[in-house]
Amino acid sequence: MSLTFQKPLPSSSSKSSRALQKGQQTKQTIVEAALGLAQQIGLEGLSIGALAEIARMSKSGVFAHFGSREELQISVIREYYQRFYDEVFFPAMEAPRGLPRVRALFANWMKRVAVEIQSGCIFISGAVEFDDRPGPVRDALASSVQTWLAALHRAVVQAKDEGHLVPDADESQMAFEIHGLILALHYEARFLKNPGATERANTGFENILLRYGKAAAGVTPPSV
């Protein structure tokens, strides 16, 4: 007697899983399209209608994934921060604690800025758009920047703990000055298009290390 085997029908749970996965993929595609648009026209310029046209979807389809323009903007901020983390912060953690890690953070940040000079920076344009507009979008922007600056400050504190900085080094001031270099570079290179801005930023960073490093006090720093 021959037996005939039939392929079992997909269970309702497997169907739900595939539908969920497809929905997540679609949402990610929309977020990536929104990020590209936001880098060109800013977060405030994002709209469900414009995004639907770019993503070749219906307005209702885009709306179903986010529910509001505000939620769309916040999703873009989260995606932008995740990419920033993956490109700048995470690789730097492979460097030893202290000045090597501070150097790695700055070097990775400069690589990121080289791209942002052409495409725009959500953190900077968003700060201009939402600096005086309280609400969830501003909160998401500020939280992302504060998280990153806290990581930079922590790296500077570790450099002092490792004996790579002078004992009276002001960690907050040093981190502030490094952040200031990046902001100045954006302004000089993207807005004013001044040549040599990148080189000046790198020189400024080395000057910061000379001022706060052990060499500034005539002390031989530990091997890094």
Side-chain angles (χ1 to χ4, degrees):
M1 180 176 65
S2 62
L3 297 176
T4 302
F5 294 95
Q6 293 184 340
K7 183 179 180 180
L9 294 175
S11 66
S12 59
S13 60
S14 63
K15 287 182 180 179
S16 299
S17 178
R18 284 200 299 271
L20 179 61
Q21 184 178 22
K22 183 177 180 180
Q24 291 173 337
Q25 291 173 343
T26 300
K27 184 174 183 178
Q28 182 62 29
T29 298
I30 297 172
V31 169
E32 290 176 1
L35 176 56
L37 184 60
Q39 287 178 304
Q40 297 177 32
I41 63 175
L43 286 166
E44 186 59 20
L46 287 179
S47 70
I48 298 292
L51 192 54
E53 185 175 345
I54 292 175
R56 297 182 179 181
M57 296 178 62
S58 65
K59 290 183 181 180
S60 59
V62 175
F63 189 83
H65 286 283
F66 298 97
S68 68
R69 185 171 77 117
E70 188 176 81
E71 182 57 37
L72 171 63
Q73 292 169 324
I74 293 173
S75 294
V76 168
I77 294 168
R78 289 171 179 163
E79 175 67 19
Y80 191 79
Y81 176 78
Q82 185 61 51
R83 295 187 183 192
F84 187 93
Y85 176 91
D86 292 342
E87 294 177 22
V88 178
F89 181 78
F90 184 73
M93 292 302 99
E94 297 181 0
R97 287 163 57 106
L99 280 186
R101 187 169 295 176
V102 174
R103 282 187 175 278
L105 285 170
F106 185 77
N108 293 344
W109 204 355
M110 288 291 286
K111 291 178 184 177
R112 175 81 184 187
V113 171
V115 176
E116 292 173 341
I117 287 172
Q118 304 301 321
S119 63
C121 175
I122 296 294
F123 292 157
I124 292 177
S125 62
V128 174
E129 293 175 313
F130 293 93
D131 62 342
D132 57 352
R133 297 175 57 185
V137 177
R138 186 191 187 283
D139 291 345
L141 275 167
S143 176
S144 295
V145 175
Q146 288 167 347
T147 299
W148 159 241
L149 293 181
L152 174 62
H153 181 267
R154 185 164 58 251
V156 173
V157 170
Q158 290 173 350
K160 186 174 180 179
D161 292 342
E162 293 292 323
H164 298 165
L165 305 180
V166 293
D168 61 347
D170 186 333
E171 304 97 316
S172 296
Q173 181 65 29
M174 182 174 173
F176 179 90
E177 292 178 20
I178 293 173
H179 185 212
L181 286 175
I182 296 295
L183 296 179
L185 175 56
H186 271 281
Y187 199 94
E188 291 276 335
R190 181 169 170 81
F191 180 54
L192 299 179
K193 301 190 184 303
N194 285 337
T198 298
E199 290 76 12
R200 290 184 182 281
N202 282 318
T203 298
F205 179 69
E206 293 302 324
N207 288 340
I208 289 173
L209 297 190
L210 284 174
R211 189 163 67 255
Y212 291 100
K214 275 292 185 66
V219 178
T220 302
S223 175
V224 296

